[in-house]
Amino acid sequence: MSAGVKEGHQYALDVVAGEIVACKWIILACKRYLSDLERDDIYFDVEDSQHHLDFYPSFCTHVKGKLAGKPIELEPWQAFGLMNIFGWKTPDGLRRFRTAYEEVARKNAKSTKLSGVGLYMLGFDNEGGAEVYSAATTRDQAKIVFQDAKVMGERSPHLKRAFGFHQHNIHHLKTASKFEPLSSDAGTLDGKNVHCGLIDEVHAHKTRDVWDVVETATGAREQPLMYAITTAGTNKQGICYELREYLCKILEGVVQDDTFFGLIYTLDEDDDWRDESVWIKANPNLGISKKWDDMRRLARKAKEMPSALNNFLTKHLNVWVNAAVSWMNMQKWERAPKPESEEVLQQLPCFIGMDLANKLDIAAVVIVVPDSEGHLHVKCKFYLPEEQIHVKARSIGNMYQSWADDGYITLTDGNIIDHEYIEDDVREILSEWDVKEIGFDPWGSTQLSIRLSEDGAPMVEVGQTVKNLSEAMKEVEALVHAGKLHHGDNPVLNWMASNVTAKEDKNENVFPNKEHKDNKIDGMVAMFMAVSRYLCHGDGPQPSIYDTSDVTC
């Protein structure tokens, strides 16, 4: 049975009483609602609120998954949020709240709910010529809410009779109203008269242009609504975090704004993200649309792989984090088994990666050798201009000098890298090893690669792009965790591995970065280039742990 006003009200009582596990911000939002019931300058319209809540099971259906086609039954937490937005009125009978901000983890039916709001505001809000827009940074993102609304409408016999449907438009002829998706090109919003602006995943907005233009376009309406639903992100300088901080001040009583409503489902500061009992705070639909086994699987991955932790915190626990995160679990890296001897490895096919981009800095040549067991063995060489070692000493002490003394770094004459040293070493490797391919970045190594190629070396251009390096990074990380990467405990490579940071994009791609210019990662990048060629080669002794379809081959 779909939750109504009664269930939403009871949700607030249970949260405040501690019967429902909730974070600080949800407790404060529930207290705000209960306290506002005692005010005489505003009132809660039960009938109008229930009218909106009844709209979902009566007219809206799920569009995806096993529930597709079935009526949307609201949970008490969803009813609580919606009844606040549509139930509170000012003495003139108009809606109190003009802005709504909701933050909740993924898979808690955010977009589905927003689609229902859009349909309601289109034809059931008693607004003539209503203009409803789903706006986002990209047209594809904006169309998520719109397309779900379109499918809902087309599947509902009642809505199909009331609305007309086109590819990028839903309209209500009776009230001359329309619902359309809009991309982040703020200029396309000029001249709009917005009754309802729906902003999904506002954390992805790098600028505030879309929000500002849509909000400004609501000025001619009596009771417009700006409704943003999002997960947490990493950009604390953007419009999303600005809205969040403003809401927090309202909930704490620091700022008074009777027109702004919001809910933040997240962990409290002292919560341990590994504790399953607190996950419900960020996932009020846990066990319903959000599955326990999926959460546990992702939590295990986050515990083992630092590169996955930020994604788990932001997307699944709705915790704001810094963009940079240490990529490698160094404890597992340090426990790597030793590689086979060069005599053994030289009998096997190998792949080389070269990172020679900066002639004033460290350069790297890395050999990776796959064996018949699916393991990778790593050998590496590093180069640095001799005169640069004194410059480096000012920022990182005598580390480079110590490595040079121990033979881990080759010092070349002068103040820039002498590529002849590297070329001589590569030619020696070619004469002693079974080299299948040498991956190089054309930036900074064009002449060297041309000379080697002219003498028959199997040179392959590997630009340092997400497409080329993401799968290689994932492969290396997986091999480390499986105890199948033998890197030889080279102190230079160890240091560089600890310097690599990574941020997953929306497609779960990763790319090697560093937090500071002195935190060098050249050896790791060279290794990723070599592994990229291994993954592309196709005749390796073992299949890759990851699908390699996105790698440029």
Side-chain angles (χ1 to χ4, degrees):
M1 179 178 177
S2 185
V5 171
K6 181 180 178 181
E7 289 76 17
H9 178 77
Q10 189 61 48
Y11 173 83
L13 293 174
D14 291 343
V15 165
V16 173
E19 298 295 326
I20 292 177
V21 177
C23 72
K24 166 187 175 180
W25 304 115
I26 297 303
I27 294 171
L28 288 175
C30 290
K31 287 182 176 179
R32 183 191 190 192
Y33 159 76
L34 294 171
S35 175
D36 286 351
L37 291 174
E38 305 299 321
R39 292 171 55 176
D40 56 13
D41 59 331
I42 54 175
Y43 69 98
F44 187 80
D45 189 327
V46 175
E47 185 177 345
D48 270 11
S49 181
Q50 189 62 53
H51 181 263
H52 179 79
L53 299 183
D54 288 341
F55 176 75
Y56 291 87
S58 300
F59 297 100
C60 300
T61 61
H62 291 279
V63 298
K64 298 172 184 175
K66 65 179 183 180
L67 294 177
K70 294 184 178 181
I72 292 176
E73 305 287 343
L74 296 175
E75 296 299 319
W77 72 275
Q78 294 170 316
F80 172 74
L82 291 168
M83 78 185 206
N84 269 273
I85 296 169
F86 290 92
W88 283 108
K89 302 290 183 65
T90 56
D92 57 6
L94 298 177
R95 271 194 300 272
R96 164 195 179 184
F97 291 120
R98 306 302 171 85
T99 304
Y101 175 85
E102 185 175 325
E103 221 182 78
V104 66
R106 288 185 65 183
K107 304 299 182 183
N108 283 275
K110 298 191 307 299
S111 298
T112 300
K113 181 167 64 176
L114 214 55
S115 299
V117 171
L119 291 172
Y120 183 88
M121 296 293 282
L122 173 65
F124 292 79
D125 200 43
N126 297 319
E127 182 75 14
E131 294 184 17
V132 179
Y133 297 102
S134 168
T137 54
T138 66
R139 192 167 185 84
D140 286 342
Q141 183 67 44
K143 286 172 64 177
I144 291 174
V145 169
F146 173 81
Q147 290 290 358
D148 282 0
K150 186 168 178 282
V151 174
M152 285 181 192
E154 290 173 333
R155 287 180 177 175
S156 167
H158 301 292
L159 295 182
K160 196 170 184 178
R161 286 196 299 270
F163 297 153
F165 300 91
H166 296 298
Q167 184 176 3
H168 301 302
N169 170 277
I170 306 172
H171 54 273
H172 187 223
L173 290 178
K174 184 177 180 180
T175 59
S177 301
K178 64 179 181 179
F179 181 3
E180 297 176 345
L182 289 176
S183 67
S184 60
D185 180 3
T188 64
L189 300 176
D190 291 342
K192 306 298 183 186
N193 187 359
V194 179
H195 176 54
C196 179
L198 306 173
I199 317 294
D200 193 18
E201 299 296 8
V202 69
H203 78 272
H205 289 226
K206 295 180 179 179
T207 71
R208 56 180 303 126
D209 293 349
V210 171
W211 180 271
D212 286 346
V213 174
V214 175
E215 186 177 44
T216 301
T218 64
R221 298 287 179 173
E222 279 194 322
Q223 51 175 7
L225 176 64
M226 290 284 291
Y227 195 166
I229 296 186
T230 188
T231 55
T234 59
N235 180 15
K236 293 185 179 181
Q237 282 72 51
I239 178 61
C240 187
Y241 202 75
E242 179 182 321
L243 293 169
R244 184 189 203 273
E245 286 194 311
Y246 186 66
L247 172 60
C248 291
K249 290 177 181 178
I250 293 171
L251 294 176
E252 290 178 319
V254 177
V255 172
Q256 298 297 317
D257 188 341
D258 258 0
T259 69
F260 198 112
F261 173 78
L263 299 168
I264 299 174
Y265 290 91
T266 185
L267 302 191
D268 288 306
E269 287 185 7
D270 295 332
D271 287 336
D272 183 348
W273 66 268
R274 295 164 292 190
D275 180 359
E276 292 187 5
S277 69
V278 302
W279 291 353
I280 193 75
K281 294 182 179 182
N283 296 277
N285 244 29
L286 189 57
I288 304 170
S289 63
K290 188 73 170 271
K291 304 304 180 185
W292 277 101
D293 58 350
D294 194 45
M295 279 290 288
R296 288 170 176 144
R297 175 183 63 84
L298 292 167
R300 287 194 296 270
K301 181 180 177 182
K303 290 175 185 177
E304 291 295 316
M305 298 183 175
S307 62
L309 178 56
N310 267 9
N311 190 64
F312 183 69
L313 291 174
T314 55
K315 299 299 186 291
H316 300 283
L317 291 177
N318 201 45
V319 174
W320 285 79
V321 300
N322 293 323
V325 60
S326 178
W327 168 72
M328 178 54 65
N329 182 326
M330 290 307 296
Q331 291 181 328
K332 289 188 177 292
W333 174 272
E334 291 165 2
R335 292 199 293 267
K338 294 181 179 180
E340 290 285 353
S341 65
E342 286 197 7
E343 289 76 10
V344 172
L345 295 179
Q346 285 172 354
Q347 307 307 310
L348 301 174
C350 71
F351 300 82
I352 296 175
M354 299 193 307
D355 187 1
L356 318 178
N358 192 337
K359 290 189 175 183
L360 295 176
D361 217 330
I362 197 165
V365 174
V366 175
I367 308 170
V368 298
V369 187
D371 66 19
S372 60
E373 303 285 324
H375 294 226
L376 285 186
H377 303 258
V378 179
K379 294 288 184 180
C380 43
K381 291 178 175 288
F382 297 98
Y383 307 84
L384 184 71
E386 187 170 18
E387 292 183 17
Q388 286 293 321
I389 206 163
H390 306 295
V391 176
K392 304 302 177 188
R394 290 198 291 270
S395 57
I396 55 175
N398 295 319
M399 188 166 62
Y400 278 160
Q401 184 64 62
S402 176
W403 289 334
D405 292 342
D406 292 338
Y408 292 109
I409 291 180
T410 297
L411 298 179
T412 70
D413 295 335
N415 62 357
I416 62 172
I417 286 285
D418 186 342
H419 280 183
E420 288 188 9
Y421 283 79
I422 299 172
E423 184 176 346
D424 290 344
D425 281 351
V426 171
R427 291 185 183 279
E428 184 177 351
I429 293 169
L430 286 166
S431 68
E432 297 177 350
W433 297 68
D434 182 9
V435 179
K436 293 299 182 184
E437 293 183 356
I438 301 176
F440 71 97
D441 185 346
W443 182 260
S445 58
T446 302
Q447 294 304 314
L448 172 59
S449 62
I450 289 174
R451 290 195 298 272
L452 290 170
S453 181
E454 287 175 345
D455 289 340
M459 309 300 295
V460 179
E461 184 175 313
V462 182
Q464 293 183 15
T465 65
V466 170
K467 191 171 184 179
N468 285 330
L469 300 188
S470 179
E471 293 303 315
M473 285 185 69
K474 292 179 181 180
E475 182 82 2
V476 169
E477 187 175 31
L479 289 167
V480 169
H481 283 262
K484 293 184 176 182
L485 186 82
H486 307 245
H487 57 67
D489 197 29
N490 184 299
V492 185
L493 191 65
N494 292 348
W495 174 64
M496 291 180 174
S498 72
N499 290 338
V500 178
T501 63
K503 175 187 175 183
E504 284 194 0
D505 64 18
K506 64 181 181 180
N507 297 317
E508 297 188 353
N509 294 312
V510 291
F511 186 79
N513 287 298
K514 55 191 177 186
E515 284 193 298
H516 190 274
K517 64 181 181 64
D518 289 329
N519 291 350
K520 305 304 178 184
I521 61 173
D522 309 78
M524 296 300 293
V525 171
M527 180 168 65
F528 299 146
M529 294 167 68
V531 172
S532 175
R533 296 318 308 160
Y534 160 61
L535 295 178
C536 284
H537 201 255
D539 62 353
Q542 293 290 326
S544 166
I545 290 175
Y546 288 91
D547 172 38
T548 63
S549 59
D550 287 337
V551 180
T552 301
C553 299

